[in-house]
């Protein structure tokens, strides 16, 4: 199994990758050989038959074509092109026909992250976890503009469109972590729309699936929120050290008076945060672009509660938070 990669290609870590590479190298080397022949012979003949004083041009002796040579340089390229066509078509069909026993994951692209929904009900953001040696079907669409799902080491690349599903599949052959890129320019955050494909053993995948369904039991809401802050990729746009990023920082946010782009202002409370998560376009903080995606359907109510508790915990001036203790009690009751 090739895991090292070459000058031309990254490591080949899916069932289809070595086949794609073999065709690529065939075309590459055939092109190099033909290029060298054409350019080399042109140069050689140009020098050998250059015009000299006192030497008559060959063509004047009535030589105008050579049937054998012409058949040769027509038939040989035809054979080469047919090989590339048949080989390419077969590989194309393999890439596009999903095996029947494939495990299906719903992929959603939006500005600017990936989310993945698993058949068992859990979801993950920017990290798709799959079992090794099992065909994985990806059912993909976009919530906004065109994105593209690209995992170089699997040789898998497929556009992700709004209002229409696209489908692709792969079978990873090697446990490990692989880069996932968006390869369709989709706006300001395009270059940050990167994720990971984590390929794990069958047992590890089952354990991970169970964890995914984890609802924060045995954890305080605040700690659960801190976990979600990273796992749901809030961290990409919201910092907690006071620095501005794509979105407002979360520390010292709760209880603050926030000026909005329409000239009004709001006090950041539980309802404002909840609305901002589910319907981000409703109230845009002045000085920021309206780019936050909705987390409707991605976050459950309890997860939103946890994020609110986490944001509250990042407020240094505790006098702005009245009901923190009652919230903590709530989480204990839920257990
Ligand atoms: Cu999404 Cu580029």
């Amino acid at each position: 199994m090739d895991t090292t990669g070459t000058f031309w290609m990254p490591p080949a870590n899916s069932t289809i990758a070595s086949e794609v590479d073999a065709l690529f190298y065939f075309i590459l080397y055939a092109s190099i050989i033909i290029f060298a022949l054409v350019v080399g012979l042109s140069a050689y003949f140009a020098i050998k038959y250059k015009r000299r004083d006192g030497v008559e041009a060959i063509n004047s002796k009535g030589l105008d074509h050579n049937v054998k040579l012409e058949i040769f340089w027509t038939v040989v390229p035809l054979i080469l092109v047919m090989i590339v066509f048949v080989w390419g078509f077969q590989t194309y069909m393999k890439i596009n026909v999903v095996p029947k026993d494939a495990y299906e994951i719903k992929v959603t692209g939006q500005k600017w992250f990936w989310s993945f929904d698993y058949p068992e009900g859990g979801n993950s953001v920017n990290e798709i976890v799959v079992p090794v040696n099992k065909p994985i079907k990806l059912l993909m669409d976009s919530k906004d503009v065109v994105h593209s799902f690209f995992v170089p080491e699997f040789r898998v690349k497929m556009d992700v469109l709004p209002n229409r599903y696209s489908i692709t599949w792969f079978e990873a052959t090697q446990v490990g972590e692989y880069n996932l890129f968006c390869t369709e320019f989709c706006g300001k955050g395009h270059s940050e729309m990167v994720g990971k494909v984590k390929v794990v053993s069958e047992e590890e995948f089952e354990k991970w699936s169970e964890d995914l369904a984890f609802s924060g039991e045995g954890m305080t809401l605040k700690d659960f929120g801190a976990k979600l802050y990273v796992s749901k990729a809030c961290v990409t746009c919201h910092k907690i050290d006071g620095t501005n990023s794509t979105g407002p920082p979360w520390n010292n946010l709760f209880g603050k008076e926030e000026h909005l782009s329409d000239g009004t202002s709001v006090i950041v409370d539980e309802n404002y945060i909840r609305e901002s998560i589910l319907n981000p376009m409703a109230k845009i903080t002045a000085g920021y672009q309206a780019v936050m995606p909705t987390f409707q359907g991605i976050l459950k109510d309890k997860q939103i509660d946890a994020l609110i508790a986490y944001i509250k915990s990042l407020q240094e001036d505790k006098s702005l938070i009245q009901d923190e203790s009652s919230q903590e009690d709530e989480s204990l009751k839920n257990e």
Side-chain angles (χ1 to χ4, degrees):
M1 194 175 304
D2 179 10
T3 53
T4 49
T6 65
F7 174 76
W8 303 102
M9 287 290 197
N13 285 315
S14 76
T15 48
I16 197 76
S18 53
E19 207 167 319
V20 172
D21 292 7
L23 178 54
F24 170 81
Y25 286 120
F26 176 79
I27 295 172
L28 178 71
Y29 293 131
S31 302
I32 289 174
I33 290 166
I34 292 167
F35 175 84
L37 268 175
V38 169
V39 174
L41 286 175
S42 300
Y44 173 72
F45 289 140
I47 292 162
K48 182 169 183 192
Y49 297 109
K50 73 177 181 186
R51 200 169 73 91
R52 291 183 180 86
D53 288 340
V55 181
E56 217 180 328
I58 286 173
N59 215 23
S60 65
K61 291 175 185 164
L63 188 71
D64 57 8
H65 72 286
N66 183 322
V67 174
K68 275 183 198 156
L69 202 57
E70 283 171 24
I71 288 173
F72 174 77
W73 77 45
T74 306
V75 170
V76 169
L78 179 73
I79 291 169
L80 286 174
V81 167
M82 287 311 289
I83 290 172
V84 171
F85 170 74
V86 173
W87 192 348
F89 186 72
Q90 283 176 345
T91 308
Y92 175 84
M93 289 309 283
K94 273 189 198 163
I95 291 172
N96 281 277
V97 178
V98 182
K100 280 203 177 66
D101 59 337
Y103 179 84
E104 184 174 312
I105 299 175
K106 172 71 192 7
V107 177
T108 308
Q110 59 184 301
K111 295 194 271 181
W112 286 283
F113 65 93
W114 299 100
S115 57
F116 307 101
D117 288 277
Y118 297 81
E120 290 80 19
N123 75 47
S124 65
V125 171
N126 276 349
E127 184 183 75
I128 178 170
V129 180
V130 296
V132 70
N133 295 328
K134 188 171 173 64
I136 309 294
K137 174 184 173 182
L138 303 175
L139 179 67
M140 311 194 286
D141 72 346
S142 163
K143 283 201 176 166
D144 38 53
V145 299
V146 181
H147 303 276
S148 186
F149 183 99
F150 180 36
V151 184
E153 293 185 24
F154 296 168
R155 314 290 189 267
V156 163
K157 183 169 169 182
M158 180 63 76
D159 274 9
V160 178
L161 312 161
N163 301 320
R164 181 173 162 179
Y165 292 118
S166 54
I167 290 166
T168 190
W169 76 280
F170 64 83
E171 181 177 332
T173 52
Q174 191 89 335
V175 166
E177 268 193 23
Y178 307 100
N179 291 317
L180 158 65
F181 298 105
C182 175
T183 40
E184 193 70 60
F185 183 68
C186 54
K188 178 173 153 276
H190 164 68
S191 63
E192 289 157 46
M193 195 168 165
V194 290
K196 284 255 175 282
V197 182
K198 220 169 144 184
V199 179
V200 297
S201 66
E202 186 80 48
E203 305 86 69
E204 250 184 282
F205 181 72
E206 266 162 40
K207 193 180 162 295
W208 183 84
S209 296
E210 283 167 26
D211 276 5
L212 196 66
F214 178 65
S215 60
E217 277 148 58
M219 243 181 179
T220 62
L221 269 186
K222 183 192 93 181
D223 290 343
F224 187 32
K227 202 177 147 164
L228 294 168
Y229 168 69
V230 177
S231 69
K232 301 298 177 191
C234 314
V235 59
T236 318
C237 297
H238 299 279
K239 304 299 167 207
I240 55 169
D241 59 1
T243 52
N244 288 330
S245 182
T246 308
W250 277 7
N251 57 316
N252 296 323
L253 177 68
F254 195 85
K256 183 182 160 199
E257 184 178 1
E258 197 81 292
H259 297 282
L260 302 179
S261 57
D262 63 3
T264 62
S265 61
V266 291
I267 300 289
V268 177
D269 62 4
E270 291 86 348
N271 282 316
Y272 171 73
I273 296 172
R274 186 186 169 81
E275 182 183 43
S276 298
I277 291 170
L278 297 178
N279 183 16
M281 294 304 131
K283 298 189 176 79
I284 306 297
T285 305
Y288 292 96
Q289 285 186 322
V291 293
M292 161 114 175
T294 174
F295 280 78
Q296 185 99 50
I298 295 179
L299 292 177
K300 296 191 182 74
D301 279 352
K302 167 128 191 226
Q303 294 176 316
I304 293 172
D305 296 345
L307 285 168
I308 292 171
Y310 178 58
I311 290 172
K312 281 178 170 177
S313 76
L314 300 169
Q315 174 58 265
E316 279 155 31
D317 182 356
K318 296 294 176 195
S319 69
L320 293 169
I321 306 165
Q322 294 94 16
D323 58 347
E324 191 188 30
S325 54
S326 66
Q327 278 278 341
E328 299 257 325
D329 289 344
E330 278 276 316
S331 84
L332 291 173
K333 249 183 282 164
N334 284 343
E335 287 165 23

